[in-house]
Amino acid sequence: MRSYKRWVALMAALISVLGCAPADKPPLADHRLDDPPPLTEFRPGAAGIGDPDFPTDGNGGYDVSHYDLDIDYVPVTKQLHGVATIKAAATQDLSSFNLDFSGMTVSKVTVNNATATFRRQGSELTVTPSEPIDVKSRFTVKVTYAGQPQPIRDSANLGTFGFVATPDGAFVASEPDGSKTWFPNNDHPADKATYDFTITVPAGVTALANGELVGRPTTAQGKTTFRWRERQPMASYLATATMGKFDLREGRTPAGIAETAAVDPKFKASLNTLFKLSGEITDYWSTVFGPYPFSSTGGIVDDFAAGYALENQTKPLYGGFEPDPSIIAHELAHQWFGDSLSIKRWSELWLNEGFATYAEWLWSEHKGGKTAEAIFNQEHARPASDPIWAYPAGRARPEDLFNASVYSRGAMTLHALRKAIGDATFFKLLKTWTADHRYGNVTTEEFIRLAEQQSGKNLRPLFDAWLFQPQRPA
Ligand code: TRP
Ligand code: ZN
């Protein structure tokens, strides 16, 4: 730390602790406009990352590069013990910063190996390091915690998400902001990071996380430890530590991408189909959307009847049903749209769901079923009174993020675009889009600009009608 800042921070802290300023000078906080700026530059990081629809999701003042999650879970007691080691870089001078974390008991927090003080309020964990952190410097936060994770239950709209205990383990699917139910993190897709998972479970239980296994699982004293590593940046909501009894099939896709399929014994009969379809679809999307962005692919079917699937990075999770080709095509398309290219704000969720839904139509067309054009026509024929027309797909609402409009009108937007610019330009655009923003974050505005640039057409009216108007486009 630059020593003058250290001194100034120390003096400011001292003055505030003593509760008095030198008698001939006004207290620090009470400066006037024509005074020099306040002496200390160290400020608390914001409690939100700046998504206006989710004001306390994510945090300001730092950027995480890596999570190292060491987790011990006992299904019968539902007790989780965790140590999360988080590597980050400060984007401002920080006197304190927040992590998102809900429930559980935090026993210790260190920053750069020094004990830090912490405070909890709702889903915010505020950490005050013993020394303030300089802008641009890297720091390591270690949080030790334990308890029974509680998922988020939003029966009105999103259902149950986050860490969901099952009789034999846990079903972990956290979109949009449920990763805070099982590890402290910067819970917003605008801050992506790589992950190491070390998961210890009773022998006989399998722990599945993102990426690839590092070494073989090791068993000692009735417990097995699985190590998984996700080498490519990942949004927090895509992280999983799904545990339970599983039948596994490991291998490669026909094109040679490493693949893991896992099914709860209840879905034993689906294992080979899941493996085969996931491999075939991953390979096909690689020819349509551009090279597969990750080091492995696959899927998990667990026995929790979520009624939905989630595109967890490298291993989509299907909740309590045998997935058909259409939903596998959807979840694997998300590996490009949502996972490799992540949104900057939740209101632009159509960039995930519209693309993944359009992928279902493309898969149907590819397989000689209904063409994308036929499905578009059928969807477009929904009556003017259908609620999807009143709900503009380009502005997903926080209280109703996963509305059918975001999926269906989002997909129709892409088909309308394809018709306007032609197949050659449209499919080149998709590949350019995934290449330009690989592992990054994207906005609707960036997509519109690229589409206009690639086609040489003014596409504002088309996108406006399909994404932003509260009525059925002609
Ligand atoms: N993104 C998922 C899909 O369409 C659906 C989804 C919405 C979801 N909210 C969720 C999945 C919460 C799990 C948890 O593929
Ligand atoms: Zn989806």
Side-chain angles (χ1 to χ4, degrees):
M1 191 193 306
R2 278 158 287 170
S3 64
Y4 114 88
K5 277 202 296 189
R6 184 198 297 268
W7 183 83
V8 165
L10 193 72
M11 291 314 286
L14 206 68
I15 288 166
S16 81
V17 163
L18 296 174
C20 63
D24 54 340
K25 286 203 179 128
L28 273 180
D30 201 11
H31 69 282
R32 287 177 315 225
L33 277 178
D34 50 357
D35 285 341
L39 286 173
T40 176
E41 298 168 32
F42 292 91
R43 289 173 289 116
I49 206 166
D51 187 331
D53 292 331
F54 292 82
T56 62
D57 279 2
N59 304 284
Y62 65 92
D63 190 21
V64 177
S65 59
H66 187 76
Y67 293 94
D68 194 324
L69 305 179
D70 192 337
I71 280 164
D72 181 293
Y73 187 67
V74 180
V76 288
T77 60
K78 301 186 170 68
Q79 277 287 325
L80 185 151
H81 285 84
V83 180
T85 307
I86 304 165
K87 290 202 168 84
T91 55
Q92 67 173 66
D93 283 328
L94 284 169
S95 53
S96 67
F97 59 89
N98 279 18
L99 289 163
D100 300 311
F101 197 34
S102 60
M104 316 292 281
T105 301
V106 175
S107 56
K108 189 172 172 67
V109 180
T110 66
V111 176
N112 296 333
N113 287 318
T115 300
T117 60
F118 61 90
R119 180 166 37 91
R120 303 197 65 187
Q121 198 168 43
S123 295
E124 300 294 331
L125 167 62
T126 302
V127 177
T128 305
S130 59
E131 279 198 47
I133 301 167
D134 265 338
V135 63
K136 288 184 181 151
S137 70
R138 300 181 166 282
F139 61 101
T140 302
V141 196
K142 192 165 158 179
V143 181
T144 306
Y145 60 98
Q148 292 186 345
Q150 300 298 327
I152 297 169
R153 290 192 179 85
D154 172 9
S155 47
N157 185 223
L158 300 172
T160 300
F161 61 99
F163 188 104
V164 185
T166 60
D168 62 357
F171 173 95
V172 184
S174 302
E175 191 181 21
D177 55 1
S179 62
K180 58 170 68 72
T181 65
W182 62 285
F183 67 101
N185 70 95
N186 201 19
D187 198 358
H188 193 282
D191 187 4
K192 299 165 69 163
T194 54
Y195 284 71
D196 271 294
F197 302 86
T198 304
I199 309 171
T200 301
V201 285
V205 175
T206 298
L208 301 160
N210 313 84
E212 299 83 51
L213 267 180
V214 180
R216 301 305 304 167
T218 52
T219 302
Q221 284 141 23
K223 286 182 169 237
T224 304
T225 300
F226 294 80
R227 294 183 178 78
W228 294 91
R229 177 170 293 158
E230 175 50 54
R231 300 159 195 270
Q232 274 75 41
M234 176 164 76
S236 307
Y237 76 88
L238 299 168
T240 193
T242 292
M243 301 172 268
K245 307 267 187 221
F246 283 104
D247 291 339
L248 253 65
R249 182 167 164 193
E250 287 164 293
R252 292 194 174 268
T253 70
I257 299 167
E259 180 178 359
T260 301
V263 301
D264 182 280
K266 194 175 156 193
F267 295 93
K268 218 180 193 53
S270 329
L271 179 61
N272 288 330
T273 319
L274 175 68
F275 184 89
K276 217 174 157 300
L277 281 171
S278 301
E280 182 191 349
I281 293 170
T282 301
D283 288 351
Y284 180 62
W285 288 154
S286 305
T287 70
V288 179
F289 304 142
Y292 184 65
F294 306 123
S295 316
S296 62
T297 184
I300 305 173
V301 182
D302 201 358
D303 66 346
F304 173 69
Y308 57 65
L310 184 64
E311 61 267 23
N312 287 340
Q313 193 156 309
T314 71
K315 285 178 197 67
L317 178 55
Y318 305 92
F321 59 93
E322 178 174 352
D324 62 18
S326 179
I327 195 162
I328 296 174
H330 179 114
E331 304 311 330
L332 289 174
H334 272 310
Q335 303 303 306
W336 285 259
F337 309 108
D339 295 9
S340 175
L341 279 66
S342 302
I343 50 181
K344 255 187 203 141
R345 42 189 100 87
W346 284 109
S347 61
E348 299 184 354
L349 184 64
W350 85 279
L351 291 167
N352 296 3
E353 301 305 346
F355 282 63
T357 302
Y358 194 57
E360 296 176 42
W361 304 2
L362 291 176
W363 182 254
S364 166
E365 182 165 310
H366 170 64
K367 283 286 156 181
K370 279 187 192 158
T371 60
E373 173 78 5
I375 304 173
F376 171 88
N377 287 336
Q378 175 190 313
E379 289 292 292
H380 194 200
R382 292 190 191 213
S385 61
D386 189 296
I388 71 163
W389 304 124
Y391 186 126
R395 244 179 253 116
R397 299 178 197 154
E399 76 289 356
D400 188 14
L401 267 184
F402 299 93
N403 187 279
S405 173
V406 176
Y407 286 69
S408 176
R409 253 182 98 167
M412 282 187 265
T413 303
L414 291 173
H415 192 72
L417 174 66
R418 178 179 167 188
K419 288 201 289 186
I421 67 180
D423 276 19
T425 306
F426 177 76
F427 287 104
K428 184 166 165 276
L429 167 66
L430 292 187
K431 282 186 173 161
T432 308
W433 178 239
T434 62
D436 283 2
H437 299 283
R438 197 168 161 98
Y439 310 136
N441 287 94
V442 289
T443 64
T444 301
E445 185 55 32
E446 288 168 335
F447 185 68
I448 296 174
R449 279 215 207 108
L450 185 66
E452 291 196 319
Q453 184 210 312
Q454 299 259 310
S455 66
K457 288 199 156 100
N458 171 16
L459 298 167
R460 292 280 157 189
L462 182 150
F463 282 109
D464 184 57
W466 281 98
L467 293 176
F468 299 115
Q469 292 306 315
Q471 70 230 4
R472 183 177 175 278

